[in-house]
Every structure is written in C-alpha cells, then in structure tokens.
Amino acid sequence: MITARTALYGVMGHPVGHSRSPAMQNAAFAALGIDAAYVALLVPPERLAQAVAGAHALGFQGLNVTVPHKQEALGLCATVDATAADVGAVNTLRRAPHGWEGFNTDAPACLALLEAAGIGRGARALLADRSGWRAAARRASRRRAGTPAGARSCRARRRPRRGSRSADRTPRRRRSPR
C-alpha cells in the first residue's frame, strides 16, 4: 500500500509508456520489503524543467531520465558527476537537499559491456542504438583513454531517409593536406 511514507521514484521520458523499469523496480522493492514506488512519468520536452522541479518539490527520492531528456536534464541538476559533464547528459538523478545530483551511467555501462566482450582499445565495434549510447560511449572512451587508434564514428538508421538527413548534419573530420 502506498502511504505518505512511501519513497517515490520514477522515470521521465517522452514516450515512456513502453518502459519496463516500473515493473522491474517495483518487483525489486517488493522482494526486498522496501516501502517505495517507481512510476513512469510522461513528460513532454517543453515541460521538463517544471517536471524535474515538481518531482523534487513532491519529495521524489530519485529519477531516471530517458529520451529525449538526457541532455536537457543535465542543466537542471545542482551538481553532476565527471562522466555526465564529459558526456553532456544525465540518465540518473539523486535527490539532495540543494537540488538534484546528476549522473551518467550509460557511458560506463556501455564501455564495461564492450570490455567484457573483449573489445578493447584500438578495436572496432558497431554500436547500434536509439538512445545515445554510441555517442556517450565514444565521448567517455575519449576522455578515459584518448581516442583509440583507428576509431571513427558513423550513424546508421533503420529508415534510410532519416539516416541520410542525420548523416548530413554529422560534421565530417577533414583530412589534412599531404
């Protein structure tokens, strides 16, 4: 039963109805006997600042942030960790008395998965995603160990037309004249 003492957590996104996080988190809370509830919060981009401030005012203890809010949410945090600052996005907010503390767990998780798969520095890998993992991992790997030899990034999309527009906006590195 949810009471005034129940700790509140949520995931903010647009869309967010497909998220499995509420079911997983609530099952974990129940299994551990924790008086907490985790809810999906549909937040249109133009209302993100109000929603984040409102969640803090309502006493939410933590939030996950998903598309399309990760970059914008960074600027709404009182403090951010080094990875979030490097990557330019947050996906986890922790309540603090002075506001939200922001963290990026996407980049380290992606790098750890690549390393666990035996894909190390200088290796080539294709990261296919919809949520920014590829960019986050690329930025984090550059910050952590410098740009891997031969590393490059390109975008691919399921819908060629959208991919073409996206690729057209991607700055290309110019070769120096020989």
Side-chain angles (χ1 to χ4, degrees), residues 10-161:
V11 56
M12 289 186 173
H14 192 265
V16 74
H18 65 283
S19 176
R20 295 182 181 171
S21 293
M24 293 183 332
Q25 298 292 352
N26 287 317
F29 290 149
L32 296 170
I34 298 172
D35 184 12
Y38 188 100
V39 296
L41 302 165
L42 179 63
V43 179
E46 66 275 9
R47 304 294 300 267
L48 181 64
Q50 293 169 307
V52 169
H56 198 275
L58 289 170
F60 274 71
Q61 298 301 300
L63 297 169
N64 292 118
V65 182
T66 190
V67 295
H69 302 316
K70 294 179 181 187
Q71 291 82 15
E72 184 72 24
L74 178 88
L76 302 175
C77 296
T79 61
V80 299
D81 73 348
T83 301
D86 285 346
V87 170
V90 294
N91 68 322
T92 303
L93 305 182
R94 179 174 61 195
R95 179 184 190 77
H98 58 283
W100 293 108
E101 297 172 333
F103 303 89
N104 185 298
T105 62
D106 286 340
C110 187
L111 291 174
L113 288 170
L114 289 170
E115 290 171 3
I119 301 169
R121 182 174 164 79
R124 292 182 181 201
L126 171 65
L127 302 179
D129 78 318
R130 289 185 47 208
S131 61
W133 272 50
R134 178 188 53 79
R138 184 183 70 240
R139 288 185 199 119
S141 68
R142 287 179 180 166
R143 299 287 194 270
R144 182 197 293 179
T147 305
R152 65 186 188 123
S153 175
C154 64
R155 293 181 182 190
R157 300 273 194 242
R158 285 184 293 161
R159 296 180 193 98
R161 206 159 119 204

